[in-house]
Amino acid sequence: MKTPLALLLTTFSFWTLNAADNYQLGPDSLPKADVPRGRIERFSFTNSTAFPGTHRDCWLYIPAQYEASKPAALMVFQDGQSYVNTNGQIRVPVVFDNLIHRGEMPVTIGLFVNPGNRGEPSATGGSSGRSNRSFEYDSLGNAYARFLIDELIPHVTAAYKLNLTSDPNLRAICGMSSGGICAFTAAWERPDYFRKVLSHIGSFVNIRGGHVYPALIRKTERKPLRILLQDGSNDLNNLHGDWPLANQEMASALRFAGYDYQFVFGDGAHNGKHGGAILPESLRWLWRATTSPPPSVTQGNLGGDEALSKVLPNGSGWELVGEGYGFTDAACADGEGNFYFSDLPKGVLYRVGHDGKPSVWIENGPKISGMKFGPDGRLYAASQGAVGGPRDEKKKIVAIDPQTKKITDIATDVNPNDLIVSKSGWIYFTDTGAGQVIMAPASAKGMSRPRVAAGGINKPNGLSLSADQKFLIVSEYGGTNGWSYVVAEDGSLQSGERYLELRTPVGRPDSGGDGMTTDSQSRYYITSHAGIQMFDPTGRMGGVIAKPSDKGCVSVGFGGPNREWLYACASDKVWRRKTLAKGAL
């Protein structure tokens, strides 16, 4: 009799004193005479550029039902030797044979990968040199995912002439201990490739920084992943961390963020017994039909907590507004919610009405890197010169009359990147190279003299005002902060402080903080390398909204009816998504 996975769940306990750890393999983990067996191919891989100088043993499982004319699903296993062994604790090929035969999982190619080794390989496999396991498996970032996606899987596909699916929902990845966190990391970094994760006794502890995942999950827009975690109350507790506690933290974070997940918690130790015993049911759950993810958990949020669930409707996503541009930038909206952006290198400004469709607003105009509407109804812009103009043409601040399209110089001999205009008539713009914020009055009568309002910022880029316009926030492109300044009655900036801590991707020293906008609740949205980072009025991060594509997203702004649509300029495209917020006026 099969035991439902849900019945294998146990109540969390920190006080289990004696490990039972007596899990036994069930009938689905044993060979059956009437079930056709897949074949296993062993090979070595030595041509990695992601991990140069390494060699590794690998195995390929090809099910008996595989037909080259039909794309097969794919499942990758770290520490492949432990999983491919048909007499071990887990016995994946046997379980695959049985489940595929009964149609309880798709026809799936299994790729079993050992960690890399440095040193001379031995004739019997392995190496006398140093194992690269912890570096490959425990490190955060996309290096291991790139190794699989760009190197190993293409090699296997070509060498064995395999027809593998292009559907990420039919690609899974699995691992044990450090291999478990590795499997999660690969899918976390590349959900466009892997959508299913099976982690056995995963090392979500501080070996190489993996303890941060529960916090990242809570403050990152939910990714389209299905995740099963397994651990036991008698797993490790050592200098790196507490494995049972870390896996419970992971499960709690996944639940909070609304993931399609399952956590099977038993009384096992740091081995494959429990994971092997539940593997058949785990695979049935992992490969079950697609379902809608549950809503995120919000009842634990205090009044001032600004989780992403307050901003993003469940099931919302980006939709394409326009594409084929040179480089889009300068997102902003007018008082009626019409959205504007520039195709910077082409000197074209576009207007997007409430129907969400872009149309040319100004052709053959200045190359605009930032623009905002002022209290007088004019559109103020940071000009990088004219298309086809001389290379040494002066950069400047200009104002555009929305009715006549007449362009008036406001400030010359300046080096503006992005800007904001206050209701009291002050223009603030960033001089990125000088590390300064410059201010100038928005004068309707020709030229104005700018002056330095703030300095000492590491490559300042985007600016935005709080909803009540009492504070100015400036993003750092070259650092990791968002600066906050009090706006005095005379427009000067006072009491500058590093108020927001921007998230930086693994391996980067800077956040890439770029364009930004504010909603009516004074939540700040800053584009960055990591995504669109959202902060509450007190400077606490609420979460990171996923970029609309893998290309850089440099500018955002609210527009549309009631200013409920968040627009994003990302390289040659413009996107938008519906939110629960409203842009500040």
Side-chain angles (χ1 to χ4, degrees):
M1 178 177 178
K2 293 186 295 186
T3 303
L5 189 61
L7 296 182
L8 295 170
L9 298 174
T10 64
T11 303
F12 297 162
S13 173
F14 295 96
W15 303 106
T16 301
L17 299 179
N18 299 311
D21 198 25
N22 58 353
Y23 298 98
Q24 303 296 316
L25 296 176
D28 287 330
S29 299
L30 303 176
K32 301 181 186 300
D34 61 337
V35 173
R37 298 185 183 182
R39 77 178 194 272
I40 296 174
E41 303 279 356
R42 180 174 179 171
F43 65 96
S44 297
F45 186 76
T46 60
N47 297 321
S48 175
T49 55
F51 304 111
T54 60
H55 60 88
R56 68 195 68 231
D57 295 323
C58 306
W59 295 260
L60 196 64
Y61 165 87
I62 302 175
Q65 296 83 356
Y66 170 71
E67 298 178 23
S69 61
K70 300 177 182 178
L74 173 68
M75 190 164 186
V76 179
F77 295 84
Q78 278 55 247
D79 290 314
Q81 190 167 7
S82 298
Y83 282 96
V84 78
N85 185 354
T86 55
N87 293 312
Q89 294 179 333
I90 304 178
R91 306 184 184 186
V92 169
V94 177
V95 177
F96 271 31
D97 285 342
N98 292 329
L99 269 59
I100 293 173
H101 175 67
R102 291 199 299 270
E104 294 176 340
M105 64 178 286
V107 175
T108 304
I109 301 292
L111 176 57
F112 302 83
V113 188
N114 271 3
N117 276 280
R118 298 184 185 280
E120 292 298 322
S122 66
T124 57
S127 170
S128 59
R130 188 192 75 194
S131 171
N132 215 39
R133 184 174 184 269
S134 177
F135 180 67
E136 293 178 6
Y137 287 3
D138 294 310
S139 297
L140 305 190
N142 65 5
Y144 192 80
R146 287 190 289 106
F147 160 71
L148 291 178
I149 296 168
D150 299 336
E151 298 179 9
L152 185 60
I153 294 173
H155 167 78
V156 170
T157 302
Y160 292 91
K161 297 180 173 58
L162 298 176
N163 183 4
L164 297 179
T165 180
S166 60
D167 184 354
N169 293 299
L170 292 176
R171 299 195 196 107
I173 186 164
C174 174
M176 185 188 314
S177 187
S178 292
I181 190 175
C182 177
F184 180 83
T185 297
W188 177 263
E189 294 288 338
R190 292 297 301 273
D192 61 314
Y193 197 92
F194 294 108
R195 294 276 173 89
K196 292 177 169 59
V197 179
L198 176 55
S199 170
H200 294 135
I201 54 174
S203 300
F204 298 100
V205 293
N206 192 15
I207 298 176
R208 293 180 184 265
H211 63 296
V212 304
Y213 269 132
L216 292 179
I217 291 167
R218 291 175 182 272
K219 292 189 175 184
T220 302
E221 182 178 356
R222 181 177 60 203
K223 303 188 180 191
L225 303 178
R226 176 176 290 176
I227 302 160
L228 191 146
L229 306 174
Q230 170 272 324
D231 199 27
S233 57
N234 287 279
D235 202 351
L236 298 176
N237 184 1
N238 61 24
L239 72 162
H240 301 300
D242 185 321
W243 267 249
L245 181 59
N247 276 273
Q248 292 173 55
E249 288 274 15
M250 285 288 293
S252 178
L254 292 170
R255 176 174 176 267
F256 173 83
Y259 275 84
D260 181 8
Y261 88 102
Q262 186 69 273
F263 180 34
V264 185
F265 191 64
D267 60 5
H270 199 72
N271 58 48
K273 291 182 182 179
H274 187 196
I278 66 172
L279 180 64
E281 198 62 40
S282 299
L283 292 174
R284 291 187 188 96
W285 181 87
L286 203 67
W287 291 106
R288 78 193 194 282
T290 300
T291 58
S292 298
S296 57
V297 178
T298 58
Q299 66 265 25
N301 291 325
L302 297 175
D305 293 340
E306 299 298 326
L308 286 178
S309 57
K310 287 190 175 183
V311 173
L312 302 179
N314 193 38
S316 71
W318 292 102
E319 61 181 55
L320 186 64
V321 174
E323 61 183 331
Y325 309 108
F327 183 84
T328 59
D329 204 349
C332 73
D334 62 22
E336 297 177 352
N338 299 302
F339 178 73
Y340 297 78
F341 67 94
S342 78
D343 188 343
L344 192 155
K346 297 181 181 179
V348 181
L349 301 183
Y350 288 85
R351 178 182 182 274
V352 182
H354 288 187
D355 60 0
K357 297 179 180 180
S359 60
V360 173
W361 192 60
I362 291 180
E363 286 187 284
N364 301 317
K367 296 185 290 186
I368 301 300
S369 60
M371 56 188 183
K372 294 292 185 296
F373 279 88
D376 57 1
R378 295 195 299 175
L379 181 59
Y380 292 84
S383 171
Q384 306 301 310
V387 175
R391 181 170 296 181
D392 60 350
E393 181 176 4
K394 300 296 184 181
K395 300 178 181 181
K396 55 190 174 183
I397 301 293
V398 300
I400 305 173
D401 186 300
Q403 303 301 322
T404 65
K405 311 294 177 66
K406 180 182 177 181
I407 300 174
T408 303
D409 289 349
I410 298 297
T412 58
D413 294 323
V414 292
N415 191 26
N417 184 342
D418 202 352
L419 56 73
I420 192 75
V421 186
S422 71
K423 293 178 182 177
S424 58
W426 287 102
I427 302 169
Y428 302 93
F429 62 89
T430 48
D431 184 331
T432 302
Q436 297 174 336
V437 176
I438 312 297
M439 61 183 294
S443 170
K445 298 181 180 180
M447 314 300 284
S448 302
R449 184 179 297 276
R451 66 179 187 270
V452 176
I457 310 170
N458 194 343
K459 296 183 181 179
N461 201 317
L463 313 90
S464 195
L465 289 157
S466 59
D468 60 10
Q469 306 235 328
K470 293 181 179 180
F471 300 93
L472 178 77
I473 308 296
V474 184
S475 68
E476 280 187 334
Y477 189 87
T480 60
N481 299 291
W483 287 72
S484 174
Y485 297 89
V486 175
V487 181
E489 289 187 8
D490 64 356
S492 62
L493 302 182
Q494 302 175 358
S495 305
E497 56 188 344
R498 295 179 175 89
Y499 196 61
L500 314 176
E501 182 70 24
L502 292 165
R503 183 186 298 177
T504 58
V506 174
R508 295 204 65 134
D510 52 35
S511 66
D514 208 317
M516 61 183 301
T517 191
T518 308
D519 69 19
S520 61
Q521 301 301 310
S522 286
R523 290 176 289 227
Y524 306 105
Y525 303 76
I526 305 177
T527 64
S528 70
H529 296 319
I532 302 168
Q533 306 194 34
M534 186 266 283
F535 295 85
D536 70 17
T538 69
R540 299 177 300 172
M541 177 188 282
V544 180
I545 301 171
K547 293 182 289 187
S549 70
D550 58 354
K551 296 181 178 179
C553 179
V554 301
S555 187
V556 287
F558 283 96
N562 298 316
R563 305 172 73 90
E564 295 173 338
W565 289 87
L566 182 64
Y567 284 82
C569 296
S571 188
D572 60 338
K573 297 180 177 64
V574 173
W575 305 77
R576 72 172 187 170
R577 67 185 301 170
K578 191 71 174 294
T579 74
L580 301 175
K582 294 183 179 181
L585 290 172

